[in-house]
Amino acid sequence: MAATASPGAGGMDGKPRTSPKSVKFLFGGLAGMGATVFVQPLDLVKNRMQLSGEGAKTREYKTSFHALTSILKAEGLRGIYTGLSAGLLRQATYTTTRLGIYTVLFERLTGADGTPPGFLLKALIGMTAGATGAFVGTPAEVALIRMTADGRLPADQRRGYKNVFNALIRIAREEGVPTLWRGCIPTMARAVVVNAAQLASYSQSKQFLLDSGYFSDNILLHFCASMISGLVTTAASMPVDIVKTRIQNMRMIDGKPEYKNGLDVLAKVVRYEGFFSLWKGFTPYYARLGPHTVLTFIFLEQMNKAYKRLFLSG
């Protein structure tokens, strides 16, 4: 028992020194936040597209490009970064929690001989971690949806949140603390769908491309498999995402909520806006998914290298 040493204890057991778990979680959250700075405009366009035409009104935006140019024209360059503070807090809460839960469960379910969990168990761990992270991140998600939606409303109807903390305090004070977790079920459902779809579609796409004979196991294969996986994940998760967006942005009308539940959102969208409206904002959602993942890994790699150079070398 005394012979066992921790991996980060200076390499007493011959293993290379690694950063502590807390640092890994911190870097995971910071990497996600760094990526968000670059993709926030796409998130805003996606949210505006999903709210466009709500309640059988005329669609405000014909395409994602039309939405982007309209926002730039009406609200300026700063306008497309509305809600950035909420996007950063979402990453800080969601990504860090998801990473922490995933690491803990993965280690606990690894065999005594070091055998990692199988594919199905890994998928279950990923879905559990994603759902837990989504629950923790829901308040920031509610603030993000409302802040990004504000610019499309008439001046007298805008909520006018100054930043994410102002939004959270006002929501809790004006509508009650439970409102901060409004839409947490579709938010958690989306996280489960995203994790399941990504895992299944990536491995299947990779195998399909390898079997075609045109690819070998290299970075091009990984990139193409990721793009196909992103397409499948976007298509699978968007109906749940529009439910989440509508519920988190809804107002009370004569003391009653605009929507009773997620199924009510789906029914009303299909009835008044058409079946394919469930995939509104598909382009910015898909365009955001790839760059955000790539940028997150780039930032994470750079932070790990810097930490290793500053604290683990020598």
Side-chain angles (χ1 to χ4, degrees):
M1 285 175 69
T4 306
S6 68
M12 295 287 289
D13 56 359
K15 293 180 182 179
R17 298 169 72 197
T18 60
S19 54
K21 282 182 197 169
S22 57
V23 172
K24 287 177 182 173
F25 300 159
L26 175 67
F27 285 176
L30 288 173
M33 291 168 76
T36 296
V37 173
F38 291 89
V39 301
Q40 176 64 21
L42 292 170
D43 227 4
L44 182 136
V45 170
K46 186 267 294 181
N47 291 340
R48 293 282 182 93
M49 290 287 289
Q50 288 183 329
L51 294 167
S52 175
E54 188 175 15
K57 294 173 187 171
T58 306
R59 284 196 185 192
E60 297 156 71
Y61 311 115
K62 296 169 187 173
T63 64
S64 301
F65 183 72
H66 178 229
L68 182 61
T69 53
S70 298
I71 294 164
L72 280 168
K73 197 180 293 181
E75 301 167 50
L77 195 59
R78 285 186 66 185
I80 62 169
Y81 272 95
T82 302
L84 177 61
S85 61
L88 294 174
L89 183 63
R90 178 180 65 175
Q91 287 299 320
T93 51
Y94 168 69
T95 305
T96 308
T97 303
R98 184 184 63 169
L99 205 64
I101 297 289
Y102 185 88
T103 305
V104 169
L105 289 177
F106 191 91
E107 288 181 355
R108 290 203 174 191
L109 293 169
T110 296
D113 59 350
T115 307
F119 176 78
L120 288 177
L121 198 52
K122 267 192 218 171
L124 188 61
I125 292 170
M127 288 187 279
T128 303
T132 309
F135 179 80
V136 174
T138 296
E141 190 90 45
V142 172
L144 175 65
I145 295 299
R146 293 186 173 198
M147 290 174 78
T148 53
D150 227 22
R152 60 186 281 274
L153 298 170
D156 61 327
Q157 292 180 28
R158 291 178 187 174
R159 292 177 169 111
Y161 301 133
K162 294 173 186 174
N163 52 57
V164 65
F165 299 109
N166 175 250
L168 296 175
I169 291 166
R170 279 186 51 195
I171 291 167
R173 189 172 62 229
E174 295 167 14
E175 303 171 56
V177 173
T179 307
L180 293 171
W181 274 272
R182 181 181 283 171
C184 75
I185 292 174
T187 303
M188 292 167 73
R190 182 192 63 172
V192 170
V193 170
V194 165
N195 278 279
Q198 276 181 334
L199 275 167
S201 59
Y202 180 78
S203 59
Q204 284 295 110
S205 302
K206 191 176 171 185
Q207 192 58 52
F208 174 78
L209 293 172
L210 278 171
D211 290 346
S212 72
Y214 294 105
F215 292 86
S216 54
D217 198 349
N218 54 29
I219 195 164
L220 177 62
L221 171 72
H222 302 158
F223 174 78
C224 292
S226 296
M227 294 304 287
I228 295 169
S229 174
L231 199 65
V232 173
T233 303
T234 301
S237 61
M238 282 225 71
V240 187
D241 194 66
I242 197 169
V243 168
K244 176 197 74 67
T245 300
R246 295 281 178 97
I247 287 178
Q248 290 175 337
N249 188 58
M250 72 178 178
R251 293 176 182 270
M252 303 295 283
I253 300 170
D254 297 326
K256 294 180 181 179
E258 289 179 71
Y259 303 105
K260 296 172 189 174
N261 50 48
L263 289 175
D264 187 41
V265 176
L266 291 173
K268 284 180 177 174
V269 170
V270 172
R271 186 185 307 142
Y272 298 120
E273 303 166 50
F275 179 73
F276 290 104
S277 290
L278 293 173
W279 285 271
K280 275 181 186 174
F282 185 96
T283 304
Y285 190 106
Y286 179 56
R288 175 194 179 279
L289 202 64
H292 190 273
T293 303
V294 171
L295 287 166
T296 297
F297 281 118
I298 289 172
F299 288 133
L300 191 58
E301 191 66 34
Q302 293 308 308
M303 284 188 283
N304 282 330
K305 281 182 181 176
Y307 186 89
K308 192 174 180 180
R309 187 175 65 251
L310 293 170
F311 300 105
L312 299 180
S313 60

